[in-house]
């Protein structure tokens, strides 16, 4: 059987034979280049399904509008005073919520055969994980930028200027690198993307509310205040607030970075091990 | 099979358990290089687990294997550099376009940007996917998706390709295309390890077959040997007039072999391994004036292979698949 004249929707056996006749093998790419290629894959997915960005940007914008105009006056005396207080915290919330989606997309990947193909390639083992995190960081930056831009449109004028805002965004994104490994582990342990989403938000949602993102903890009852003060999300929000105010709080910034490093130190090896064994 | 041929896969005592389930319970394999080697068995027999071990996706609990001369445990990276996976276990990214999938793999395998794009276009054209290259894979038809899957395994031509159930769920035309591609690959020197639950597929493609059941090899040989060991296929005839069935049964009993009357009042089958004999039987029917609506020479099904090799039928899930039109 020859297949020289085939319909477009059919394999052309002669061309297939020509294509596989060349057995030349390119040199293996380095670890960094491999990770960057996986980052490109993550970016392509954002390009094809831009709606996935709506999920992570609309919720924080809703919170921003709701809290500023519904509760702002009551909490801080005026909506503009409250906006100044809460926006750096909402930046933290919006980016941290996005990290849950890193676990969700990893879980989605694992349920498809494509991960087996990646694992059967002669590539640096952690590259797919690091690469998708690189792609995710673009989402983090977009989510954070949206909140800052909407805040500025509503009248937020931080003392620290654009530089302070960029520094705060940078710190939050770096913290998210650390935190996202926690959700990656969830993504590898749980059965479905929905389960990851639910478990992720069940953790991150109360933690965000039991922090100083929305209210000054000075008015809280003692034990609650004690918890809020040690909650890493409070510390990160404090650091973000101080950077935006142009008066960096060294302790809060360093503590945030140390927490991120600890999270990565524990959960990154766990992630790579789970990824390899599944 | 010539034992002198170099072996692409050489496995001894491979075993793997998941919890209390022994998925693979000591499998030996010897796959000669440059051939298509079929691993035949029902769902859950341990085919996919065996391939996953050989492709270094999961480590075996016991036993050892060399793939293209490299130990899968101590030299896994070298194995990965020489093999490709296709089928139900390795797939393509549904959320990317066909072209992006191939460029991605080209880049991961070390092609530069331009070379990866050129290779992707070459494969897309060869596999008849060029027109859908810019569409997301989730919108592809089953046949197209399977061809892309195979193309993705050929971005760098592998020395050994694992084809896991490559035609399950495909229409006959797409299935024939996959078979053509497999034959072309072997003609160019690639070895193929083919997992299938269709005896017909193994018969069409494979030079050698192992039959596995419950994690163990229960038979090994060429397709011809295997079918001979199973006994026979059958000549099935459908009559124009059901009232001629008794007459037809007498003729076939004499000319061919033991006759079984089918539930359909116009049909009957005679055990028959030899197509020449079957032709004789059909001729005798015509001579006796029995009008035929249809006749066919059926191969023994996987169920019959299993029944004769193990004394039990292949499990229920594979039986329903077996009944799909082929």
């Amino acid at each position: 059987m020859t297949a020289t004249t085939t319909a477009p929707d059919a394999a052309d056996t002669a061309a297939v034979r020509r294509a596989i006749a060349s057995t030349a093998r390119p040199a293996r790419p380095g670890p960094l280049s491999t990770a960057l290629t996986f980052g490109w894959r993550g970016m392509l997915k954002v390009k094809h399904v831009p709606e996935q960005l709506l999920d992570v940007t609309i919720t924080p914008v809703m919170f921003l509008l709701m809290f500023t105009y519904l509760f702002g006056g009551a909490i801080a005396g005026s909506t503009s005073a409250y906006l100044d207080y809460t926006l750096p915290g909402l930046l933290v919330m919006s980016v941290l919520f996005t990290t849950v989606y890193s676990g969700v997309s990893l879980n989605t990947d694992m349920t498809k055969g494509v991960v087996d193909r990646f694992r059967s390639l002669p590539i640096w083992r952690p590259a797919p994980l690091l690469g998708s995190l690189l792609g995710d960081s673009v989402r983090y930056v977009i989510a954070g930028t949206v909140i800052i831009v909407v805040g500025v449109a509503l009248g937020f004028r931080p003392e620290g200027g654009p530089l302070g805002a960029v520094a705060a965004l940078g710190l939050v994104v770096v913290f998210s690198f650390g935190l996202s490994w926690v959700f990656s582990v969830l993504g590898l342990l749980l059965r479905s993307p929905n389960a990851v989403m639910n478990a992720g938000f069940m953790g991150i949602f109360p933690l965000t509310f039991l922090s100083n993102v929305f209210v000054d903890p000075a008015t809280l009852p003692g034990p609650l205040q004690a918890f809020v003060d040690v909650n890493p999300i409070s510390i990160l929000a404090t650091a973000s607030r101080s950077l935006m105010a142009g008066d960096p709080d060294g302790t809060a910034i360093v503590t945030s970075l140390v927490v991120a490093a600890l999270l990565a130190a524990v959960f990154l090896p766990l992630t790579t091990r789970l990824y390899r064994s599944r | 099979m010539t034992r002198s041929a170099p072996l692409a896969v050489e496995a001894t005592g491979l075993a793997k358990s998941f919890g209390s389930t022994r998925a693979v319970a000591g499998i030996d394999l010897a796959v000669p290089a440059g051939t298509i080697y079929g691993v035949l068995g029902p769902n859950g027999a341990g085919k996919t687990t065996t391939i996953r071990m050989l492709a270094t996706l999961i480590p075996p609990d016991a036993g050892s294997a060399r793939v293209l001369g490299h130990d899968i445990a101590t030299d896994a990276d070298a194995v990965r550099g020489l093999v490709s996976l296709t089928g139900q276990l390795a797939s393509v990214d549904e959320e990317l376009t066909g072209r992006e999938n191939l460029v991605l793999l080209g880049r991961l395998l070390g092609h530069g940007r331009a070379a990866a794009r050129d290779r992707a276009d070459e494969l897309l054209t060869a596999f008849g996917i060029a027109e859908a290259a810019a569409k997301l894979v989730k919108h592809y038809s089953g046949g197209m998706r399977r061809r892309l899957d195979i193309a993705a395994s050929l971005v760098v031509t592998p020395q050994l390709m694992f084809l896991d159930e490559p035609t399950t769920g495909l229409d006959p035309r797409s299935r024939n295309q996959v078979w053509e591609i497999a034959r072309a690959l072997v003609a160019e020197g690639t070895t193929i390890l083919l997992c299938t639950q269709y005896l017909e597929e193994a018969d069409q493609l494979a030079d050698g077959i192992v039959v596995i059941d419950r994690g163990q090899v229960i038979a090994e040989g060429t397709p011809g040997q295997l079918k001979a060991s199973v006994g026979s296929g059958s000549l099935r005839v459908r009559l124009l007039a059901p009232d001629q069935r008794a007459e037809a049964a007498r003729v076939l009993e004499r000319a061919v072999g033991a006759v079984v009357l089918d539930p359909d009042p116009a049909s009957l089958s005679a055990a028959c391994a030899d197509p020449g004999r079957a032709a004789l039987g059909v001729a005798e029917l015509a001579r006796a004036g029995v009008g035929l609506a249809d006749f066919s020479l059926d191969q023994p099904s996987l169920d019959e292979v299993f029944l004769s090799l193990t004394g039990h039928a292949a499990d229920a899930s594979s039986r329903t698949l077996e009944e799909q039109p082929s």
Side-chain angles (χ1 to χ4, degrees):
Chain A
M1 250 198 278
T2 53
T4 40
T5 52
T6 40
D9 176 36
D12 173 349
T13 315
V16 169
R17 287 188 66 156
R18 275 196 303 279
I20 56 183
S22 68
T23 50
R25 215 157 244 288
R28 286 189 188 192
L32 182 68
S33 136
T34 308
L36 285 175
T37 304
F38 278 106
W40 174 67
R41 170 176 177 252
M43 236 89 87
L44 286 174
K45 294 197 168 189
V46 175
K47 190 181 108 189
H48 292 308
V49 196
E51 303 92 276
Q52 60 179 293
L53 286 176
L54 291 182
D55 287 351
V56 297
T57 49
I58 284 195
T59 322
V61 168
M62 263 168 45
F63 273 104
L64 175 60
L65 294 173
M66 222 164 63
F67 272 80
T68 307
Y69 293 106
L70 269 179
F71 308 129
I75 294 173
S78 75
T79 51
S80 66
Y82 187 65
L83 187 62
D84 283 346
Y85 176 80
T86 199
L87 193 110
L90 278 168
L91 168 70
V92 169
M93 182 183 105
S94 96
V95 177
L96 294 196
F97 276 17
T98 315
T99 58
V100 176
Y101 287 88
S102 302
V104 174
S105 63
L106 181 59
N107 183 280
T108 310
D109 261 9
M110 296 304 290
T111 57
K112 309 260 165 75
V114 69
V115 164
D116 274 339
R117 187 180 293 284
F118 294 150
R119 288 171 55 204
S120 72
L121 293 175
I123 53 174
W124 186 51
R125 304 271 90 192
L129 291 165
L130 275 178
S132 55
L133 204 61
L134 281 178
D136 286 345
S137 69
V138 173
R139 277 194 257 181
Y140 303 160
V141 170
I142 292 175
T145 308
V146 165
I147 273 294
I148 294 173
V149 167
V150 173
V152 168
L154 296 179
F156 176 63
R157 297 288 180 271
E159 296 283 313
L163 199 67
V166 170
L169 177 60
L171 177 70
V172 174
V173 169
V174 168
F175 184 86
S176 299
F177 274 138
L179 181 66
S180 66
W181 297 109
V182 177
F183 296 114
S184 298
V185 167
L186 276 186
L188 292 170
L189 285 178
L190 298 180
R191 274 168 194 278
S192 73
N194 258 336
V196 180
M197 183 109 83
N198 289 337
F201 278 108
M202 223 183 289
I204 199 87
F205 215 83
L207 271 181
T208 307
F209 274 83
L210 296 178
S211 76
N212 64 15
V213 165
F214 296 107
V215 290
D216 186 340
T219 62
L220 301 178
L224 191 56
Q225 190 180 343
F227 176 81
V228 167
D229 284 341
V230 297
N231 182 349
I233 295 183
S234 297
I235 298 167
L236 181 62
T238 302
S240 155
R241 213 166 267 140
S242 73
L243 283 167
M244 287 208 186
D247 178 22
D249 178 340
T251 317
I253 294 171
V254 171
T255 311
S256 302
L257 292 174
V258 168
V259 170
L262 284 177
L263 287 175
V266 173
F267 289 95
L268 193 152
L270 217 55
T271 309
T272 43
R273 183 179 309 175
L274 284 171
Y275 186 79
R276 225 173 302 168
S277 66
R278 254 190 56 169
Chain B
M1 258 178 292
T2 48
R3 297 295 306 188
S4 58
L7 293 176
V9 177
E10 196 176 4
T12 3
L14 277 186
K16 182 79 188 176
S17 299
F18 299 105
S20 58
T21 316
R22 291 202 82 189
V24 175
I27 280 188
D28 295 348
L29 275 181
V31 178
T35 64
I36 300 185
Y37 200 74
V39 177
L40 183 66
N43 282 341
K47 302 187 298 279
T48 298
T49 306
T50 305
I51 285 198
R52 287 175 67 90
M53 287 191 278
L54 293 175
T56 76
L57 291 179
I58 49 172
D61 293 341
S64 64
R66 295 177 78 77
V67 172
L68 301 160
H70 301 280
D71 190 288
I72 57 166
T74 59
D75 207 1
D77 212 44
V79 174
R80 290 185 200 118
L82 300 170
V83 305
S84 276
L85 285 175
T86 303
Q88 55 176 23
L89 55 78
S91 181
V92 285
D93 196 332
E94 294 191 325
E95 290 165 36
L96 301 185
T97 68
R99 192 162 187 268
E100 285 165 352
N101 263 290
L102 297 186
V103 173
L104 175 74
L105 287 166
R107 299 282 289 148
L108 291 175
L109 288 163
H111 279 304
R113 235 174 266 272
R117 275 199 289 259
D118 289 348
R119 181 64 172 168
D121 288 336
E122 182 183 14
L123 288 170
L124 288 165
T125 308
F127 281 83
I129 325 171
E131 279 177 29
K135 274 202 237 167
L136 294 186
V137 173
K138 60 178 159 200
H139 301 310
Y140 279 26
S141 70
M144 223 196 288
R145 207 198 132 108
R146 206 63 61 97
R147 292 203 301 276
L148 179 68
D149 222 347
I150 296 177
S153 294
L154 302 176
V155 169
V156 168
T157 309
Q159 289 186 26
L160 170 68
M161 187 150 157
F162 297 105
L163 267 181
D164 189 21
E165 311 255 347
T167 61
T168 301
L170 291 190
D171 60 74
R173 179 167 166 272
S174 301
R175 186 196 59 184
N176 287 337
Q177 286 200 3
V178 170
W179 288 355
E180 284 281 302
I181 294 166
R183 291 190 186 106
L185 272 167
V186 169
E188 291 298 329
T190 297
T191 307
I192 294 180
L193 190 61
L194 167 79
C195 278
T196 182
Q197 43 182 328
Y198 303 126
L199 183 63
E200 189 198 354
E201 181 158 275
D203 189 19
Q204 283 275 341
L205 295 177
D207 306 295
I209 297 179
V210 290
V211 182
I212 65 174
D213 180 41
R214 298 178 182 175
Q216 283 177 314
V217 174
I218 55 171
E220 187 178 2
T222 64
Q225 289 168 341
L226 200 66
K227 281 193 292 184
S229 79
V230 168
S232 54
S234 59
L235 169 67
R236 182 180 301 264
V237 300
R238 204 177 136 76
L239 310 177
L240 285 172
D243 56 15
Q244 284 189 308
R245 187 151 88 156
E247 166 76 8
R250 266 194 304 281
V251 172
L252 287 182
E253 192 88 54
R254 190 159 18 88
V256 182
V259 165
V260 178
L261 299 179
D262 291 349
D264 173 357
S267 295
L268 66 165
S269 325
C272 175
D274 172 13
R277 242 194 133 86
L280 194 68
V282 173
E284 287 291 324
L285 285 174
R287 191 171 306 152
V290 177
L292 295 186
D294 189 20
F295 67 91
S296 61
L297 186 60
D298 293 347
Q299 288 205 352
S301 68
L302 182 64
D303 258 0
E304 287 165 280
V305 173
F306 266 76
L307 212 52
S308 89
L309 289 174
T310 67
H312 69 83
D315 65 25
S317 54
S318 78
R319 203 160 28 236
T320 50
L321 282 167
E322 204 39 53
E323 282 160 7
Q324 283 178 349
S326 51

